[in-house]
Amino acid sequence: LGTLPKIKNNIIIMNKINFLHLKKVNEQYYPSINNTIKEVLDSGWYLLGEKTKQFESEVASYCGVKHCIGVANGLDALKLILQAYNIGPGDEVIVPSNTYIATALAVSANGATPVLVEPSKKDFLIDPTLIEQAITPKTKAIMPVHLYGQVCDMDRINTIAKKYDLKVIEDSAQAHGAIYKRKRTGNLGDASGFSFYPGKNLGALGDGGAITTNDDELARKVRAIANYGSEQKYVHDYKGTNSRLDEIQAAVLSVKLKGLDKDNNRRREIAKFYRNNITNPQIQLPIENYGAEGHAYHLFVIRTTKRDKLQKYLSSKGIQTLIHYPIPLHKQKAYTELNHFSLPIAEKMSKEILSLPISPVLSNEEVKYIVQTINKF
């Protein structure tokens, strides 16, 4: 991005900087998107067709796994993995206390119980040193979340899982393209769930999700369960559901997958500029556990004890920020059975975290302005 320019007088007020300008993100792909959608329309085939097969093959290759199964959304991806592994009533699944509610909802939807483990104060991810003490005879799986785009400590998590004969199910919804020791997310456990919600690093023009795995039997079973529990028309081996990635979304995602690494590199470039130039001592910047490639920077999340004042200040200067997430899982009304738990790290984080814009279509001038404005707070 170049050297931060010196400021002699007041900072120039720019037009409003959106947290994420989705129209701009997708505009760069418009010609190819228009062409591929036309191909779908001309084919007359809108579900489980060639575009879906192509995209599944591309994602499997990209992640370095044997199987990819497109589904309706990221929540379904996690739900279906748990169902296919027969994890349900009476079982427990370890999930981080600092995550989006979908992680826990996938567990609850199968009748199992989410067991919350606190995050590390260092990186906001599930603290592997606290996992073993949460394991009981009912525990069937660990669900690490590569939160904000940063990969969890998968070696330690997999070692614990192997010791207790547990499944490891990655929640990779925010970490498309992140790399851990030369392997991509989606290839770091027994199976992984992805979301293609429009705002993700790899976003559809609507909802979409996928499951990746090297487990042949899981892939076969998940594909059947997602198609009404059927592998053969009108023959239903499982009490399934309808969760399929449609042809238009698969076609669009196939186009955008080709630009994912480029977009992620732009995110990393912006993150590096933030990390090198935000000098306000009131701001705690995110760390990179495994170098820049280990973080896809879906979000750039800072911490400050003056979060609400900072957000209001940035808004007054035309900079939109968001809070991911303002209410911890165990304090949600949906999980009243967990409301009595005290999880002080997640609770403290929820009051201090703030996400800065890190869209790949931010201009250099916008990024510099954000830095200058934060440093003057």
Side-chain angles (χ1 to χ4, degrees):
L1 295 178
T3 306
L4 189 69
K6 294 185 181 298
I7 304 167
K8 294 181 179 178
N9 299 308
N10 293 328
I11 296 174
I12 297 172
I13 298 296
M14 302 183 70
N15 293 328
K16 181 177 179 180
I17 300 174
N18 293 317
F19 181 77
L20 178 62
H21 199 311
L22 273 179
K23 185 173 182 289
K24 267 190 184 179
V25 169
N26 289 314
E27 274 177 348
Q28 59 187 317
Y29 299 106
Y30 273 7
S32 297
I33 286 175
N34 287 334
N35 289 337
T36 199
I37 289 176
K38 185 177 186 304
E39 289 173 0
V40 174
L41 296 176
D42 290 344
S43 76
W45 196 281
Y46 310 121
L47 282 172
L48 302 180
E50 292 304 314
K51 294 293 186 183
T52 301
K53 289 178 185 176
Q54 175 187 334
F55 177 65
E56 289 177 340
S57 175
E58 290 169 349
V59 170
S61 176
Y62 181 82
C63 292
V65 296
K66 293 166 67 176
H67 305 283
C68 171
I69 303 96
V71 295
N73 53 68
L75 174 57
D76 277 6
L78 297 175
K79 283 166 54 179
L80 288 162
I81 294 169
L82 290 166
Q83 185 177 350
Y85 276 138
N86 299 314
I87 296 173
D91 297 331
E92 295 176 350
V93 177
I94 291 173
V95 302
S97 60
N98 182 39
T99 185
Y100 184 55
I101 195 170
T103 313
L105 289 176
V107 178
S108 303
N110 281 283
T113 300
V115 175
L116 306 184
V117 170
E118 285 274 64
S120 163
K121 296 177 183 178
K122 179 181 69 171
D123 58 19
F124 311 164
L125 305 175
I126 189 168
D127 188 338
T129 67
L130 302 178
I131 290 177
E132 277 198 84
Q133 65 194 53
I135 294 173
T136 74
K138 296 180 180 180
T139 308
K140 293 296 186 291
I142 305 171
M143 193 177 284
V145 179
H146 305 310
L147 197 67
Y148 312 143
Q150 176 141 246
V151 186
C152 296
D153 188 346
M154 294 305 295
D155 280 354
R156 294 182 71 175
I157 291 170
N158 282 320
T159 297
I160 294 167
K162 186 175 181 181
K163 179 179 177 181
Y164 293 93
D165 192 25
L166 306 175
K167 297 296 183 185
V168 175
I169 302 165
E170 299 174 79
D171 183 339
S172 302
Q174 298 185 10
H176 310 81
I179 296 174
Y180 176 86
K181 300 183 179 181
R182 300 185 179 180
K183 295 175 73 174
R184 293 190 190 275
T185 53
N187 189 19
L188 303 173
D190 293 287
S192 179
F194 285 91
S195 166
F196 303 125
Y197 178 78
K200 303 297 187 187
N201 290 35
L202 180 60
L205 302 185
D207 270 324
I211 294 161
T212 56
T213 185
N214 287 307
D215 185 333
D216 296 338
E217 177 59 17
L218 177 76
R220 181 198 65 78
K221 194 171 178 182
V222 158
R223 198 176 288 280
I225 294 172
N227 187 36
Y228 297 98
S230 172
E231 293 180 90
Q232 179 183 344
K233 195 168 185 179
Y234 301 130
V235 178
H236 304 270
D237 297 323
Y238 310 100
K239 293 175 182 175
T241 188
N242 174 19
S243 184
R244 300 174 294 200
L245 182 65
D246 70 66
E247 282 286 281
I248 286 180
Q249 298 302 343
V252 169
L253 288 165
S254 187
V255 167
K256 295 184 68 178
L257 179 61
K258 295 175 178 64
L260 176 58
D261 287 344
K262 174 180 67 68
D263 285 351
N264 279 351
N265 285 336
R266 174 59 177 168
R267 289 174 181 269
R268 293 178 182 121
E269 184 180 43
I270 294 169
K272 182 179 180 179
F273 190 80
Y274 280 158
R275 288 160 51 78
N276 289 342
N277 293 286
I278 293 176
T279 56
N280 190 319
Q282 300 174 91
I283 307 298
Q284 179 183 328
L285 298 169
I287 65 169
E288 293 176 349
N289 288 332
Y290 310 105
E293 284 192 331
H295 204 319
Y297 282 106
H298 173 60
L299 299 171
F300 190 93
V301 181
I302 61 174
R303 284 183 72 179
T304 175
T305 55
K306 298 181 179 179
R307 191 267 309 281
D308 294 343
K309 288 182 179 178
L310 175 60
Q311 185 176 42
K312 185 176 180 180
Y313 164 77
L314 292 176
S315 178
S316 74
K317 302 297 183 181
I319 301 168
Q320 183 186 26
T321 59
L322 295 178
I323 300 170
H324 298 88
Y325 304 96
I327 305 173
L329 272 177
H330 66 293
K331 295 298 183 183
Q332 297 284 352
K333 186 177 179 181
Y335 282 102
T336 53
E337 69 273 21
L338 301 177
N339 287 173
H340 66 282
F341 281 99
S342 175
L343 296 167
I345 300 175
E347 290 167 21
K348 183 171 171 54
M349 283 183 177
S350 70
K351 296 179 175 65
E352 296 179 354
I353 51 179
L354 187 67
S355 299
L356 303 182
I358 195 167
S359 162
V361 295
L362 280 176
S363 70
N364 289 353
E365 291 71 25
E366 288 173 323
V367 176
K368 289 175 181 178
Y369 173 69
I370 291 167
V371 169
Q372 293 164 0
T373 307
I374 289 175
N375 285 341
K376 288 180 75 73
F377 172 66

